[in-house]
Amino acid sequence: MSIRHGLLALLERGPRYGSQLRSEFESRTGSTWPLNVGQVYTTLSRLERDGMVAQQGEDGAGHPLYVITDEGRAELRTWFERPVDRTSPARDELAIKLAMAVGASGVDIRAVIQSQRRHTVKAMQDYTRLKARALSAVEDTGPQQRDDVAWLLVLEQLIFQTEAEARWLDHCEARLIRLSAAARQDPAPVRGSAPGSGPGPIPVPSATDSDAGGTTGTTGVAAGTTGVAGAAAERAPGR
């Protein structure tokens, strides 16, 4: 998250002091990524050091005011024009957890996946309810209310993100089941490994176990996911 560019964007609207910048940042993002005043002032100090902001007097209450400089405006324009870099993705705790769970002793990876799926679908439902409120606010006040529109865009990103995660979890479970079934049919050692070495078979449910109820449970959750995502999609602009 680029706090520095977010602060520059807010300062382009006029002079602000630290606490005011924090409040406006959280209002724009619905407190999805909360800031503390220390973070704000530390970032302002670095921006001032780099010549992108400058202090300019005080408000009536004695708060020091900051303004954006020409260098800051140029940096902000470059940030808006430059695509967000996706070639070096941030570490994802869930992906790391599932990677470490594969073949781990005493870990039921299917239970890990299903537990996470329930949490992800619940989060998506919560975001969808918040989106309904945000849409109502935009309809009541009009698109000129920047904070309401900004919060709506953030919520829609969170909904699409959780929808994608739920689908990925379904894919992971199906993939592991297929690999486990293939391993039982052809229990040959992994190429390049010595006999008797390397990790054991992936501890996932068998095809028989899945037919007895595992797949049904997965389909049920996936169907719930599609329903929530569908409701969100109907309210999402342009979809």
Side-chain angles (χ1 to χ4, degrees):
M1 177 180 61
S2 182
I3 298 173
R4 59 189 273 121
H5 293 107
L7 297 185
L8 286 173
L10 294 173
L11 285 171
E12 194 175 36
R13 299 172 61 184
R16 301 283 193 277
Y17 58 87
S19 297
Q20 186 179 13
L21 286 167
R22 182 193 65 174
S23 297
E24 292 188 13
F25 183 94
E26 293 184 350
S27 179
R28 280 291 187 99
T29 61
S31 298
T32 303
W33 303 284
L35 300 178
N36 60 57
V37 175
Q39 279 180 294
V40 172
Y41 278 107
T42 297
T43 304
L44 286 172
S45 295
R46 291 172 180 166
L47 288 170
E48 187 175 18
R49 177 200 64 196
D50 296 339
M52 297 184 189
V53 305
Q55 290 193 46
Q56 189 179 83
E58 299 178 344
D59 68 357
H63 298 113
L65 295 174
Y66 291 83
V67 296
I68 190 170
T69 64
D70 290 340
E71 290 84 351
R73 288 189 179 88
E75 172 65 20
L76 184 60
R77 296 280 78 74
T78 300
W79 181 61
F80 280 133
E81 294 166 2
R82 183 178 60 237
V84 174
D85 184 15
R86 298 301 190 193
T87 59
S88 300
R91 284 187 290 270
D92 184 285
E93 182 181 357
L94 177 56
I96 294 171
K97 180 188 288 188
L98 292 189
M100 296 300 108
V102 173
S105 177
V107 176
D108 183 349
I109 192 169
R110 182 190 183 196
V112 174
I113 290 172
Q114 292 185 344
S115 174
Q116 181 63 47
R117 188 192 290 109
R118 286 191 294 271
H119 174 81
T120 299
V121 171
K122 172 64 165 58
M124 182 161 50
Q125 292 169 341
D126 292 341
Y127 293 144
T128 301
R129 281 190 288 270
L130 288 172
K131 179 186 172 181
R133 298 214 299 261
L135 271 173
S136 177
V138 170
E139 291 167 357
D140 290 343
T141 61
Q144 68 274 14
Q145 293 298 323
R146 303 186 203 181
D147 289 352
D148 291 336
V149 174
W151 175 218
L152 179 61
L153 294 180
V154 170
L155 280 170
E156 288 175 338
Q157 191 270 346
L158 294 171
I159 290 170
F160 293 143
Q161 188 177 60
T162 49
E163 178 187 4
E165 183 172 284
R167 290 178 175 176
W168 175 66
L169 289 166
D170 286 340
H171 168 79
C172 287
E173 186 167 32
R175 168 78 70 187
L176 292 172
I177 290 173
R178 287 196 300 270
L179 290 174
S180 180
R184 284 193 299 274
Q185 294 172 7
D186 182 18
V190 177
R191 185 173 59 183
S193 64
S197 65
I202 299 171
V204 296
S206 66
T208 303
D209 294 337
S210 300
D211 293 340
T215 304
T216 302
T218 302
T219 304
V221 176
T225 301
T226 303
V228 174
E234 289 175 2
R235 289 192 291 267
R239 290 198 58 176

